[in-house]
Amino acid sequence: MGNASFEDVIQPTMVKNLFVITSGPFPPNPSELLGSMRTKDLINRLEDKFGLLIMDAPPVNTVTDAQVLAVQIDGVIMVVPQGIAEKAGVAHAKQLLDTVHANILGVIMNRVTKEKSQGYYGGYYGGYYGAEKEK
């Protein structure tokens, strides 16, 4: 929003060579701000300074922020919570990303538990969870 310098917004973390930029206060027009030339310039400067950028966005079905960002970045990874996201909602989110020609790299399913995974691939994941507990 122009309230801080480039150097001031990039914060180091406890992990070596890992930095974060927090969102700060909620702007009155987030999608407009994300689609602005200022954001494009910020992304270009970040790409020049860092080898890999990971950007987090609100759920695609909630607001247009993810769609606006998707056209400016190399790829999108959808995060789908097992047992919470409905199949139709995930399909709709993919459709919204396809509409803007987002490069969907894949999907991460989180909040996975053994109980929710019964029967997947003939119990394969059940065996995997058992092996993990033994380690």
Side-chain angles (χ1 to χ4, degrees):
M1 290 178 39
N3 299 338
S5 71
F6 179 76
E7 293 75 17
D8 288 340
V9 298
I10 301 169
Q11 301 297 312
T13 67
M14 294 173 26
V15 177
K16 183 180 177 184
N17 295 321
L18 179 65
F19 299 84
V20 66
I21 298 176
T22 58
S23 63
F26 189 76
N29 51 353
S31 291
E32 186 177 313
L33 182 61
L34 290 171
S36 71
M37 189 51 105
R38 180 173 275 156
T39 298
K40 289 177 184 150
D41 290 342
L42 174 63
I43 291 171
N44 287 333
R45 289 184 71 185
L46 291 169
E47 287 175 334
D48 289 343
K49 186 171 177 74
F50 299 101
L52 175 68
L53 301 179
I54 299 173
M55 303 179 93
D56 187 25
V60 180
N61 292 342
T62 307
V63 291
T64 60
D65 298 12
Q67 288 174 277
V68 172
L69 276 176
V71 299
Q72 301 180 58
I73 59 176
D74 295 332
V76 173
I77 298 174
M78 294 175 61
V79 179
V80 179
Q82 183 184 25
I84 296 172
E86 296 178 358
K87 185 176 180 180
V90 175
H92 185 250
K94 182 186 178 305
Q95 181 183 25
L96 291 172
L97 290 169
D98 286 342
T99 300
V100 296
H101 307 290
N103 179 21
I104 301 174
L105 302 173
V107 177
I108 294 174
M109 182 172 281
N110 66 357
R111 300 186 186 187
V112 176
T113 65
K114 181 178 178 181
E115 292 74 27
K116 292 178 186 175
S117 301
Q118 294 295 331
Y120 281 22
Y121 297 95
Y124 172 76
Y125 288 120
Y128 174 77
Y129 278 96
E132 285 296 307
K133 288 181 182 177
E134 293 172 11
K135 289 184 180 178

